[in-house]
Amino acid sequence: MKINADFTKRVVLHADEIDWLASPMAGVERRPLDRIGEEVARATTIVRFAPGSAFSAHTHGGGEEYIVLDGVFQDEAGDFPKGSYVRNPPTSRHTPASAPGCTIFVKLWQFDPSDRDEVHVDLNRAEPVPDPARPGTATVPLYDGYGESVRLEHWSAHAAFRQDVPGGAELLVLEGSATEHGDALRKQSWVRIPPGGVIDAKAGPDGAQVWIKTGHLNQISVPGAAGA
């Protein structure tokens, strides 16, 4: 299966316009953003767990990165409420579930094979640091390594910036509104910018909170081991 699999092209999607698709597990549905592969895939997806649902235990051969958008995500490591950012590296294993239900933004099979860094950040408690080079912007660093950089940015009303992204970029609006290259973005809008591109963004009248990942799209690989 291939969905938005040409990584030389810019993509803009709004999650609320994408139909939910059933997964192999009852009560777990998906909104695919990009995908290369079948059930084991290099994928970027919004996943919804109905209350009391669970996914079978599995190993992440290519790693897993997610943000809890709503509700509480649960596994053997604990409870992760809305605003949790988690990186589970290659070879990690868990049994995801949600007693109250939850929605997550998740990326699979997109880690460097040698990456073994585990990351848990509560975005609700993380203190953003003002960026002196970009008035109206404050940043929460989330991860930096293996050629990629991940951060949460708080944009004040109408704050604007441009950034060259030789390794490509992704943006996910968590709160508020913005534009990127003139495209109107709202909560759970997702943008993928190809390598060699530019982020050209401006916050809306109420500002925005945006998850940004850069430097990770130069090497696109397809999984060859188990994961889910």
Side-chain angles (χ1 to χ4, degrees):
M1 179 185 299
K2 291 186 177 182
I3 298 172
N4 293 318
D6 184 348
F7 286 81
T8 68
K9 296 185 180 300
R10 181 174 175 272
V11 180
V12 179
L13 295 174
H14 309 290
D16 57 9
E17 296 178 354
I18 302 172
D19 291 336
W20 289 107
L21 304 177
S23 81
M25 296 296 170
V28 181
E29 299 173 300
R30 299 164 170 164
R31 283 174 164 163
L33 303 177
D34 66 26
R35 193 174 189 91
I36 302 174
E38 300 305 320
E39 187 54 31
V40 177
R42 182 199 193 282
T44 304
T45 314
I46 292 177
V47 181
R48 179 170 68 180
F49 287 75
S53 62
F55 218 90
S56 56
H58 54 267
T59 298
H60 288 291
E64 172 192 57
E65 176 181 22
Y66 66 85
I67 303 170
V68 181
L69 303 175
D70 193 25
V72 180
F73 180 85
Q74 299 168 311
D75 64 11
E76 295 87 340
D79 293 352
F80 298 93
K82 177 181 177 180
S84 299
Y85 171 76
V86 176
R87 291 174 66 94
N88 292 323
T91 74
S92 61
R93 181 177 176 83
H94 71 164
T95 307
S98 181
C102 71
T103 304
I104 66 172
F105 168 82
V106 61
K107 298 178 68 62
L108 300 174
W109 273 99
Q110 298 177 45
F111 282 46
D112 185 284
S114 59
D115 188 347
R116 293 295 181 270
D117 295 333
E118 294 186 12
V119 178
H120 295 172
V121 179
D122 183 347
L123 303 180
N124 302 300
R125 297 184 178 184
E127 189 68 32
V129 178
D131 185 340
R134 292 190 288 147
T137 299
T139 301
V140 177
L142 299 176
Y143 183 77
D144 195 355
Y146 296 94
E148 68 177 67
S149 178
V150 188
R151 63 191 188 268
L152 173 68
E153 294 205 347
H154 294 250
W155 298 346
S156 299
H158 307 299
F161 83 103
R162 288 175 58 89
Q163 178 186 351
D164 292 332
V165 285
E170 288 180 56
L171 292 78
L172 179 71
V173 178
L174 301 181
E175 299 289 346
S177 64
T179 60
E180 202 287 316
H181 274 90
D183 285 310
L185 309 178
R186 55 188 183 267
K187 188 174 181 178
Q188 294 187 25
S189 292
W190 175 77
V191 181
R192 190 183 72 203
I193 299 170
V198 176
I199 300 173
D200 186 357
K202 183 177 181 179
D206 297 320
Q209 292 182 29
V210 185
W211 173 88
I212 301 177
K213 183 180 177 80
T214 61
H216 62 301
L217 297 178
N218 280 325
Q219 300 295 329
I220 305 302
S221 60
V222 179

